[in-house]
C-alpha cells in the first residue's frame, strides 16, 4: 500500500502504484481509459466502472489491449447500490464519469443534471458511508469559468458558465469540496482544458473541438473554423493530464484543493486547426458564426497552471506539435474503431 505523505510533495512522475486498488468511473471514456492504461503500467489493480451510454464518449476499443488485466463493471453511476459495492476496498477513485457534451446538455438538461450532479452525489455518499479512507480525484473543466474576467485565469476566478454542462460541473465540484471539508474526505478536483490525444471521441463535434479536428483531418476532410478563429485556448496532451491526475492522488497536499492541469502554451483555434492539418492532412475553411454557437462563445480562455506546479512540481512534457504527432501515430493504425 502506497502511503500518503502529509508533509512532503509528490515530486516528478509517479514511480509506482504497485498493489493499489483503483476504481475509475467512466473508465471507458477518453481520460478514464488513458488513466487505466497508465495505472496498470504502474502496477495497480484497476476496476473500470462504466455504463457505456452512447452519448458520453465511451469506447470498448479503448481497453482492448488491457481487457484481460482489469475488472470491468457495466454499471451506471446513478445506481447507488452498485457504486457503493464497487468502492469497497478501493484506495483511489478517479471520477471521470460525466456527460461531457456542451450542446447535448442544452438539448437534454435533465439527463446532464442526473449524470453530472446526482451521479457525483451518489459517489460522494457511497464514500462517506462505506469507504472514507479512499482518495477521490474528481475531473472538472475549465469551461466552468465562462467568460474570463482576467487572464490568465486561476483557481480563484469567478464562475459564470454559459451552458448546462459547465454549470453542472461547477455544482458537482462544489459538492466534492463540501464533502471533503464536512466529512474529512480526501478529495481533489482537477480541472482540464482542451485535452487531446489517443482514445478520444474524434467522430463528433459534441466533444472537445480539437479532438474533432483530429478526426476530420485523419479522414482528409475539411476542418471548419467559425469566424476568424482568433480566440485563444490552452490545450494539454492526454499523457500530461494523466500524470497530473495521478500525482494529485498520491499526496495529502492536494486534499480539498481545486487545480488546473493545463498546458504551458496557448494557441488560437485557427492555429490549432492549422497545426492539425499540417500534421495529419485535410483542409481548413473559415465560415461565419452560427447564431446558436455564437451565444455560448466566451472569447479567449487562457488558464494558469501555476498552482499545480507549485504544489506538485508537475510540468507538462508535450506541446501542441509533439502531442499531435503522437496522436496521429495512435489513430493511424486503428482509426476505424473511432469513426462511429
Amino acid at each position: 500500500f502506497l502511503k500518503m505523505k502529509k508533509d512532503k510533495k509528490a515530486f516528478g512522475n509517479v514511480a509506482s502504484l504497485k498493489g493499489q486498488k483503483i476504481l475509475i468511473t467512466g473508465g471507458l471514456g477518453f481520460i478514464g481509459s488513458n488513466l487505466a492504461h497508465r495505472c496498470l503500467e504502474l502496477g495497480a489493480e484497476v476496476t473500470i466502472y462504466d455504463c457505456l451510454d452512447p452519448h458520453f464518449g465511451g469506447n470498448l476499443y479503448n481497453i482492448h489491449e488491457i481487457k484481460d488485466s482489469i475488472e470491468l463493471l457495466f454499471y451506471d453511476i446513478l445506481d447507488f447500490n452498485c457504486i457503493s459495492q464497487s468502492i469497497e476496498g478501493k484506495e483511489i477513485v478517479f471520477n471521470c464519469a460525466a456527460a461531457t457534451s456542451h450542446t447535448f446538455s442544452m438539448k437534454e438538461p435533465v439527463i446532464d443534471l442526473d449524470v453530472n450532479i446526482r451521479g457525483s452525489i451518489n459517489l460522494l455518499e457511497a464514500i462517506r458511508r462505506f469507504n472514507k479512507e479512499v482518495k477521490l480525484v474528481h475531473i472538472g473543466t475549465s469551461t466552468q469559468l465562462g467568460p474570463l474576467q482576467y487572464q490568465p485565469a486561476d483557481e480563484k476566478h469567478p464562475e459564470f458558465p454559459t451552458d448546462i454542462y459547465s454549470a453542472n460541473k461547477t455544482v458537482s465540484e462544489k459538492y466534492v469540496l463540501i464533502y471533503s471539508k464536512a466529512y474529512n474526505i480526501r478529495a481533489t478536483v482537477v480541472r482540464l482544458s482542451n485535452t487531446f490525444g489517443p482514445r478520444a471521441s474524434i467522430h463528433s463535434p459534441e466533444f472537445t473541438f480539437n479532438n474533432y479536428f483530429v478526426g476530420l483531418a485523419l479522414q482528409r476532410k475539411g476542418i471548419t473554423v467559425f469566424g476568424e478563429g482568433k480566440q485563444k485556448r490552452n490545450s494539454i496532451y492526454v499523457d500530461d493530464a494523466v500524470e497530473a491526475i495521478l500525482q494529485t492522488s498520491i499526496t495529502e497536499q492536494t486534499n480539498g484543493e481545486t487545480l488546473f492541469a493545463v498546458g504551458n502554451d496557448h494557441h488560437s483555434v485557427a492555429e490549432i486547426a492549422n497545426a492539425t492539418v499540417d500534421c495529419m492532412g485535410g483542409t481548413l475553411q473559415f465560415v461565419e458564426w452560427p447564431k446558436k454557437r455564437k451565444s455560448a462563445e466566451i472569447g479567449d480562455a487562457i488558464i494558469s497552471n501555476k498552482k499545480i506546479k507549485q504544489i506538485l512540481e508537475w510540468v507538462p512534457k508535450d506541446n501542441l506539435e509533439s502531442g499531435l504527432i503522437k496522436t496521429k501515430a495512435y489513430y493511424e493504425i486503428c482509426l476505424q474503431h473511432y469513426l462511429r
Side-chain angles (χ1 to χ4, degrees):
F1 174 39
L2 183 65
K3 293 185 180 294
M4 300 282 190
K5 303 292 186 181
K6 281 191 175 182
D7 301 315
K8 293 184 180 180
K9 295 181 179 180
F11 295 110
N13 293 345
V14 178
S16 175
L17 292 171
K18 187 174 182 181
Q20 290 279 281
K21 294 178 173 59
I22 292 175
L23 176 68
I24 306 174
T25 62
L28 295 179
F30 175 33
I31 304 300
S33 62
N34 279 285
L35 272 167
H37 280 261
R38 184 64 179 139
C39 288
L40 281 178
E41 289 175 2
L42 293 170
E45 299 175 21
V46 176
T47 299
I48 284 178
Y49 185 110
D50 201 307
C51 69
L52 206 61
D53 188 299
H55 293 107
F56 304 151
N59 189 334
L60 276 171
Y61 187 79
N62 283 340
I63 61 163
H64 79 282
E65 296 172 311
I66 60 172
K67 62 183 179 181
D68 295 330
S69 302
I70 63 167
E71 180 183 18
L72 177 57
L73 304 177
F74 286 108
Y75 297 151
D76 196 321
I77 198 169
L78 297 178
D79 189 321
F80 181 72
N81 289 331
C82 287
I83 193 63
S84 297
Q85 293 171 13
S86 300
I87 69 161
E88 291 183 8
K90 300 300 187 295
E91 292 157 302
I92 301 173
V93 175
F94 297 109
N95 184 27
C96 304
T100 60
S101 169
H102 301 272
T103 54
F104 180 79
S105 76
M106 300 302 288
K107 297 173 187 174
E108 299 288 351
V110 176
I111 294 176
D112 192 276
L113 183 147
D114 272 350
V115 175
N116 288 325
I117 294 183
R118 191 155 67 89
S120 296
I121 285 287
N122 274 349
L123 178 58
L124 289 164
E125 272 295 291
I127 291 171
R128 181 181 73 85
R129 296 186 195 183
F130 306 114
N131 189 358
K132 284 188 67 175
E133 297 304 311
V134 78
K135 171 76 179 208
L136 170 66
V137 182
H138 175 83
I139 306 304
T141 172
S142 63
T143 63
Q144 294 170 208
L145 302 186
L148 299 190
Q149 298 181 13
Y150 60 86
Q151 299 188 58
D154 56 19
E155 291 80 1
K156 296 180 180 179
H157 191 285
E159 296 173 58
F160 294 99
T162 60
D163 61 86
I164 299 296
Y165 159 71
S166 301
N168 286 336
K169 290 298 287 184
T170 287
V171 174
S172 66
E173 173 184 306
K174 302 317 174 222
Y175 287 148
V176 171
L177 298 176
I178 289 169
Y179 270 72
S180 179
K181 183 175 182 179
Y183 302 117
N184 199 29
I185 290 172
R186 300 184 301 182
T188 306
V189 177
V190 178
R191 294 176 180 170
L192 301 177
S193 178
N194 300 308
T195 311
F196 70 100
R199 305 183 182 93
S201 295
I202 61 173
H203 66 287
S204 171
E206 293 285 306
F207 303 100
T208 310
F209 79 91
N210 46 347
N211 287 308
Y212 183 51
F213 285 177
V214 167
L216 292 172
L218 289 171
Q219 296 174 78
R220 305 298 190 267
K221 293 182 177 180
I223 293 176
T224 298
V225 173
F226 298 140
E228 297 180 89
K230 290 184 177 180
Q231 64 273 35
K232 294 180 179 179
R233 298 287 186 268
N234 287 87
S235 60
I236 184 169
Y237 183 62
V238 67
D239 286 357
D240 286 324
V242 164
E243 189 63 37
I245 293 166
L246 288 176
Q247 285 192 35
T248 67
S249 74
I250 63 169
T251 175
E252 300 284 3
Q253 297 289 336
T254 60
N255 292 346
E257 298 286 352
T258 293
L259 302 168
F260 273 117
V262 300
N264 290 326
D265 304 321
H266 51 268
H267 304 273
S268 71
V269 171
E271 289 171 338
I272 293 171
N274 269 309
T276 305
V277 168
D278 288 345
C279 178
M280 302 181 187
T283 58
L284 177 60
Q285 58 180 335
F286 295 83
V287 300
E288 292 185 8
W289 274 96
K291 289 183 179 179
K292 291 183 179 179
R293 297 295 296 274
K294 183 69 173 178
S295 62
E297 174 54 36
I298 63 172
D300 289 347
I302 300 172
I303 310 295
S304 170
N305 58 17
K306 182 178 179 180
K307 181 178 177 181
I308 193 171
K309 285 182 174 179
Q310 288 179 334
I311 294 177
L312 299 178
E313 296 194 354
W314 165 85
V315 177
K317 295 180 179 179
D318 280 291
N319 57 25
L320 177 62
E321 289 73 22
S322 64
L324 285 173
I325 291 170
K326 293 179 180 180
T327 301
K328 179 184 179 183
Y330 175 82
Y331 286 113
E332 278 185 330
I333 60 175
C334 60
L335 182 61
Q336 70 275 15
H337 295 286
Y338 292 90
L339 302 180
R340 57 176 177 80

